[in-house]
Amino acid sequence: MTDKNAILGTLIDSAIAQVPDEVVRTKLLACLCPQTSQIRTIADDSNMVRKAKLWVFAAVDDSTYIAYSDEGYSDLRWGLVNIASENFGESGAWYATLSELILDSGFFDVQV
């Protein structure tokens, strides 16, 4: 595992540990897959199109990954991305925290 992978693994582990619901945490852990970096296209707030790196680390269904990127949408580091796509998707699918993503995504039965 490279240094970047180790750091990212620690970051992901920490974010998962902050998910308050143990049942949801367990469901999320069951979705984990090997961390894989991908270069995808992103259109930022000024509609400038560029390439940026993200890391996928969980497959929540047949078409959706949970990803992390510090090169994407400003302070929104945690996102839902289409497995078959070559872009980041819309900024509305990106969140400041993993817990926010889980709460809003609908992939996990979260009782508010």
Side-chain angles (χ1 to χ4, degrees):
M1 185 178 280
T2 66
D3 288 342
K4 178 71 174 180
N5 281 355
I7 292 168
L8 183 65
T10 301
L11 180 74
I12 292 168
D13 290 345
S14 175
I16 291 171
Q18 292 175 25
V19 172
D21 186 313
E22 185 176 341
V23 172
V24 172
R25 245 190 343 267
T26 300
K27 289 178 181 179
L28 177 58
L29 289 170
C31 296
L32 295 181
C33 60
Q35 299 166 22
T36 307
S37 67
Q38 298 179 354
I39 303 296
R40 292 186 177 211
T41 303
I42 183 171
D44 61 24
D45 294 336
S46 62
N47 288 325
M48 295 292 297
V49 176
R50 60 184 169 85
K51 298 284 187 180
K53 182 184 283 188
L54 59 73
W55 294 82
V56 298
F57 65 91
V60 293
D61 67 14
D62 292 339
S63 63
T64 310
Y65 282 131
I66 298 177
Y68 174 86
S69 180
D70 56 9
E71 298 180 11
Y73 293 110
S74 188
D75 293 335
L76 306 176
R77 306 281 191 221
W78 305 91
L80 295 168
V81 296
N82 185 294
I83 288 175
S85 179
E86 294 183 9
N87 63 49
F88 269 62
E90 298 295 321
S91 62
W94 286 81
Y95 301 83
T97 68
L98 181 60
S99 291
E100 287 176 84
L101 180 153
I102 288 167
L103 183 63
D104 194 53
S105 71
F107 284 108
F108 302 91
D109 269 341
V110 180
Q111 303 301 317
V112 180

